[in-house]
Amino acid sequence: MTRRLRLAVPNKGRMVEPTVRLLRDAGLVFEEHDRSLVARVQNFDLDILFVRTNDVIEFVGDGVADLGVTGIDLLAETGAELPRIRSLGYGRCRLAAAVPTDTPHQAIDDLAGLRVATAHPNTARRFFEERGVPVEIVPISGAVEVAPRLGLAEGIVDLVSTGSTLAMNGLRQIGDVLESEAVLIANPAADRERAVEVAAIDTMLSAVIAARGRKYLMMNAPERRLAELERLLPALESPTVIPLAHAGMIAIHSVVGSDEVWSLLPRLKAAGATGILVLPIEKIVP
């Protein structure tokens, strides 16, 4: 009997909440307990393993888990060669180089000959070696931002989201090392031997990801204005057009980006659209 598929996800940190929300939005039903390592999904043959963030890649690589959710930065740091199934659209950040604001350094190359503190020593070392910039990497496990203030290093390489933490610690960014976000990874054997089950999970998640950031528009309009309205609507393929009971009137249904809606509505009205409805989308399966 084939065992249930296993998905390893972080049990602490910034990726926990969006990961659990994505799984629930995908329709997976499970109970999450603070002290429980395993959550059994009730409506799919899947067990969710809640493990330390740094253990997700090891679990997947060793075959303890078939799939995992981790960050590109962690994959780069470990050097693990694991199949990336899908980018998940959250956890976006940058691994960036920064220096104290009162120093003259303006670019990555200005760090030549200096000490750089980081919690990502392998990634940082490869980056500087590839650029031909000789630096001394100072590995540090936490509070990287305070390293220059303590005299441990002249610069740092650390994860940055908004840059506010750098500013609070008197630092400014001088270059990007790596772009990162959450990704779904797979054990190579599971990707080959359990491809159907892995594809099912991927479809569940990708349908939710595709729907996020999009809205469903419904409107009525004179049929003679259809061509004008079609030019305004950036639909997935083409809008759905339905004849209405009143002669010469149609209903138009279309999918648009959430960021486009408010600038689009006045133009649709000017082109003759009325009774416009803006609806959320739960899932999109291409």
Side-chain angles (χ1 to χ4, degrees):
M1 183 176 178
T2 304
R3 68 165 174 80
R4 291 164 65 88
L5 208 66
R6 292 174 180 167
L7 168 66
V9 303
N11 63 359
K12 291 182 180 178
R14 59 190 174 87
M15 287 204 295
V16 175
E17 190 274 333
T19 298
V20 170
R21 186 170 69 249
L22 174 61
L23 296 175
R24 294 197 189 283
D25 287 349
L28 298 175
V29 178
F30 58 93
E31 293 185 11
E32 181 189 1
H33 301 287
D34 291 340
R35 297 185 180 182
S36 176
L37 172 65
V38 182
R40 186 179 180 87
V41 175
Q42 299 171 22
N43 58 342
F44 193 85
D45 285 339
L46 176 71
D47 289 333
I48 302 171
L49 312 182
F50 290 91
V51 302
R52 291 195 318 156
T53 301
N54 291 338
D55 289 341
V56 170
I57 295 172
E58 183 176 348
F59 272 49
V60 175
D62 291 346
V64 176
D66 305 290
L67 297 166
V69 173
T70 189
I72 291 174
D73 61 300
L74 294 174
L75 278 175
E77 182 60 21
T78 61
E81 296 291 337
L82 296 172
R84 296 186 194 180
I85 305 300
R86 171 100 26 206
S87 295
L88 299 178
Y90 59 85
R92 290 189 177 95
C93 58
R94 306 182 313 280
L95 198 59
V99 295
T101 55
D102 58 357
T103 61
H105 313 307
Q106 298 296 324
I108 295 287
D109 293 353
D110 295 339
L111 295 175
L114 303 180
R115 297 170 298 170
V116 177
T118 181
H120 295 74
N122 296 327
T123 306
R125 187 174 292 110
R126 284 196 303 270
F127 173 79
F128 285 109
E129 287 177 354
E130 289 170 1
R131 290 183 64 105
V133 180
V135 299
E136 178 186 346
I137 298 296
V138 180
I140 187 170
S141 59
V144 176
E145 299 90 351
V146 302
R149 192 187 314 161
L150 297 177
L152 296 175
E154 287 73 45
I156 69 167
V157 168
D158 199 19
L159 287 178
V160 176
S161 294
T162 63
S164 59
T165 302
L166 291 180
M168 288 171 56
N169 285 276
L171 300 170
R172 56 181 169 79
Q173 184 178 331
I174 59 171
D176 286 338
V177 173
L178 179 75
E179 296 281 341
S180 182
E181 69 174 303
V183 290
L184 180 70
I185 59 174
N187 173 269
D191 194 32
R192 292 190 310 269
E193 299 164 10
R194 309 190 69 172
V196 173
E197 296 160 278
V198 170
I201 294 293
D202 182 37
T203 298
M204 293 179 193
L205 302 185
S206 64
V208 174
I209 295 166
R212 289 176 173 175
R214 289 177 175 171
K215 299 294 183 184
Y216 193 76
L217 288 187
M218 303 169 61
M219 68 202 76
N220 296 337
E223 187 174 9
R224 58 185 172 80
R225 307 294 293 273
L226 175 58
E228 184 179 354
L229 288 164
E230 275 192 303
R231 285 194 293 270
L232 295 173
L233 293 170
L236 289 176
E237 293 180 357
S238 62
T240 300
V241 179
I242 305 169
L244 295 179
H246 293 172
M249 292 296 294
I250 55 174
I252 302 174
H253 296 193
S254 183
V255 175
V256 302
S258 297
D259 294 338
E260 301 171 90
V261 169
W262 297 114
S263 63
L264 189 58
L265 291 181
R267 289 182 285 156
L268 292 174
K269 290 182 67 175
T274 59
I276 303 173
L277 298 182
V278 181
L279 304 174
I281 302 175
E282 184 176 322
K283 297 177 180 68
I284 296 176
V285 182

